[in-house]
Amino acid sequence: WYQRRVRKAVVSTQSTGDVVRSFSPLLSDVFCSLDQGWKFHGSIRSTSKSGKACINWKRTPLADKATPNHYCQNPDGTNLADKPFCYISETETEECDIPSCIWNMDCFTGIGTQYRGKQATTEHGKNCNNWNSDFPHPHSYHSPEYNWAGVGDHKFCRNPSEEGKPWCYTTNVFWRWDYCSIPRCSRDSIDFYRF
């Protein structure tokens, strides 16, 4: 399945002249799940972790939110499960054995605008400040205009400025901001997913 999907992507980009820079967007939420898998739309598992067959989502209480098929999903955007799951009967659910994507979680790609990990200290050992806080360093990155960058009510490193790599404002009055000590993703040193 993986090779067929990748080959299809390369062929489709060759006809349009586009250049494939990373397979990360292609594989994320198709082969492995990001965060809690609420965007996961892969068709790689139709059985639960214990091997029980998934029933069609049309027969479940989440029929109005799920894609009508028998594959593992996490369709409820308000009451998320920990990972993609499926119904094995009309009332019983079970988690699925979908790997978690770790690129842009344990490491960053490109300049780190897609990084969504939990690193909260800088290269110089400074603690990151909550993005919603203007103390001790006032800034404008807490506005909804920067939701795309993953900033919000947390203190994890992000890159809303689209420059360099993930960074944060610090809690240190004398040190406004700093880059974070997050490794760059590399096929040679970091796996793409983890079970």
Side-chain angles (χ1 to χ4, degrees):
W1 175 89
Y2 166 78
Q3 289 176 330
R4 187 174 68 240
R5 174 66 90 162
V6 170
R7 193 176 311 116
K8 185 176 180 183
V10 172
V11 169
S12 67
T13 59
Q14 285 174 347
S15 64
T16 63
D18 293 338
V19 177
V20 176
R21 289 186 175 84
S22 170
F23 288 109
S24 179
L26 175 71
L27 299 175
S28 297
D29 280 329
V30 173
F31 179 71
C32 53
S33 67
L34 293 168
D35 301 320
Q36 293 172 293
W38 64 275
K39 291 183 182 177
F40 182 77
H41 58 276
S43 54
I44 60 170
R45 294 280 191 275
S46 61
T47 57
S48 68
K49 202 172 200 173
S50 69
K52 296 179 182 168
C54 299
I55 66 169
N56 194 305
W57 287 87
K58 289 191 285 190
R59 298 175 35 208
T60 73
L62 294 175
D64 60 326
K65 296 181 180 183
T67 304
N69 60 37
H70 59 278
Y71 295 111
C72 300
Q73 302 177 39
N74 198 357
D76 189 353
T78 54
N79 299 309
L80 290 172
D82 289 335
K83 290 185 78 173
F85 65 97
C86 72
Y87 277 84
I88 54 175
S89 74
E90 292 182 7
T91 57
E92 187 181 3
T93 64
E94 213 173 275
E95 191 175 275
C96 294
D97 197 17
I98 305 291
S100 298
C101 304
I102 59 174
W103 275 31
N104 285 317
M105 294 298 288
D106 290 1
C107 57
F108 73 94
T109 58
I111 58 171
T113 55
Q114 299 299 312
Y115 175 74
R116 296 299 183 267
K118 298 189 183 297
Q119 177 69 25
T121 54
T122 72
E123 289 179 340
H124 293 95
K126 308 296 181 202
N127 291 323
C128 292
N129 198 13
N130 189 304
W131 287 98
N132 285 349
S133 174
D134 273 328
F135 180 80
H137 308 292
H139 63 90
S140 62
Y141 288 118
H142 41 63
S143 76
E145 179 182 339
Y146 294 99
N147 286 350
W148 64 267
V151 297
D153 190 16
H154 61 78
K155 59 182 181 175
F156 307 127
C157 303
R158 297 293 185 259
N159 190 2
S161 64
E162 299 182 271
E163 295 176 16
K165 61 183 189 173
W167 59 275
C168 68
Y169 288 106
T170 76
T171 56
N172 185 312
V173 175
F174 303 106
W175 201 296
R176 181 170 171 80
W177 70 275
D178 195 8
Y179 287 119
C180 297
S181 55
I182 303 164
R184 185 173 295 280
C185 297
S186 164
R187 289 182 301 183
D188 299 329
S189 59
I190 299 175
D191 292 331
F192 185 76
Y193 64 89
R194 175 186 307 129
F195 278 97

